[in-house]
Amino acid sequence: MDYQYCVVGGGIIGLATAAELAARDPAARILLIEKEAGFGRHQTGHNSGVIHAGIYYAPGSLKARLCREGAEATKAFATARGIPFEVCGKLLVATNPVEMERMEALKGRARENGIAFEEIGAARLREIEPNIAGLGAILVTATGIIDYRQICEALAGDLKAGGTRLLTGARVTAIAEDGEGVTVTTDTGERIRAGRLVACAGLQSDRLARIAGLAATHQIVPFRGEYYTLPAAKSQIVKHLIYPIPDPDLPFLGIHLTRMIDGRVTVGPNAVLGFDREGYPKGSVRLGDVAQMLTFGGFWKMARRNLRSGIDEFRNSLSRRGYLQQCRKYCPSLVLDDLGAPGAGIRAQAILADGTLVHDFLFLDSPRQLHVCNAPSPAATSAMPIAKMIVDRLEKQA
């Protein structure tokens, strides 16, 4: 064998998994393949940079545990590597009586999950955030901000220093498994033999699984998270992250105000259907992605169930005024000219054949392969304990 392990995917999950493999066996021969020229170029590098505390997740759930562990691991890793981060806290703001009721349920979850928080009344909210309006809020003090691309670069540096081969600019075109290992072919013409393969391919996870001959019945549907950057004059508009109280009937958190570690403040993201899995500029369309999506029966079943919210998201995507109204619910001083430079991330939403949105982990495996087909949000925060879980699962296959 050329390598004991081949990891496909250079986002934060793939890098953390390779690092965990190397930590458990420093002598292991490991190869990591990434199709882009660098690391963290897709979901990892286009997210909001939040170190989540885990308030949203069901008490006792795997996601809740991984988020708490991941937040601590991320902060410890950043401290050890000199990567800047800030624990600025997050305010979940209720703007109407319905949201006040929902806030009570969130407080219950926080208590059961052991997450420290402070109940904030309207007067106290005005005092600590003069530009934010609401009937009440929850302050989650442990929430932080960071640049996960810097985490990726540090992980890649550690891997390279430890002897892991990092192959960038190479797309996997074929995977063939036999009784002894896996043969991986890339578009550069290289053929690689490895004893085990771990795929952490994010937006391309379903396609890579099918290339490997695994029976993937789900499909990745891209959802664009579009946001705007506020002008520099408004970079001090908030001291905390400002989130709405989420609607439990919707799969996404809603538009919020996010402080970035580089000093910017963004508003967003929304969650609008994408037509290009890796097309970040607005209006991006890739015909192959569209055709695959529209010929998948699960997409239409999902679309029917979420038609109203989908139309609302498209309307706000097309209308900056509509988008602004969502922001003004809790930040009424914002005006249209404040919606500055646009940007977008793309979420790899796994959908099953019956139209179900997958909100949990989804794996496909074979004797020599393990494909991470869905790593639920907040995967960046939870990357390091997720990597431990992946390697635990890989070891049980052996």
Side-chain angles (χ1 to χ4, degrees), residues 244-261:
I245 301 295
D247 184 340
D249 293 330
L250 298 178
F252 304 110
L253 296 178
I255 290 172
H256 39 274
L257 278 165
T258 306
R259 292 182 54 212
M260 309 294 281
I261 197 64

Side-chain angles (χ1 to χ4, degrees), residues 3-66:
Y3 302 95
Q4 288 166 263
Y5 300 103
C6 174
V7 178
V8 181
I12 195 168
I13 299 293
L15 288 162
T17 299
E20 182 65 20
L21 287 167
R24 296 195 191 189
D25 184 0
R29 301 183 310 281
I30 303 170
L31 166 68
L32 185 143
I33 303 175
E34 166 55 43
K35 67 182 177 63
E36 304 296 349
F39 304 104
R41 297 291 178 90
H42 291 293
Q43 291 186 102
T44 304
H46 287 86
N47 71 19
S48 57
V50 177
I51 306 173
H52 290 279
I55 190 172
Y56 304 111
Y57 311 118
S61 68
L62 179 62
K63 283 201 286 188
R65 177 175 65 81
L66 291 174

Side-chain angles (χ1 to χ4, degrees), residues 115-170:
I115 296 170
F117 70 93
E118 181 182 347
E119 296 183 48
I120 303 291
R124 175 67 175 152
L125 179 61
R126 285 193 298 272
E127 180 183 333
I128 63 175
E129 289 287 2
N131 295 302
I132 299 301
L135 302 180
I138 301 172
L139 173 59
V140 183
T141 54
T143 303
I145 52 176
I146 197 167
D147 183 348
Y148 284 108
R149 290 169 297 186
Q150 292 189 38
I151 297 287
C152 286
E153 291 301 325
L155 286 168
D158 289 352
L159 287 166
K160 187 175 182 179
T164 293
R165 181 188 175 197
L166 305 176
L167 177 58
T168 56

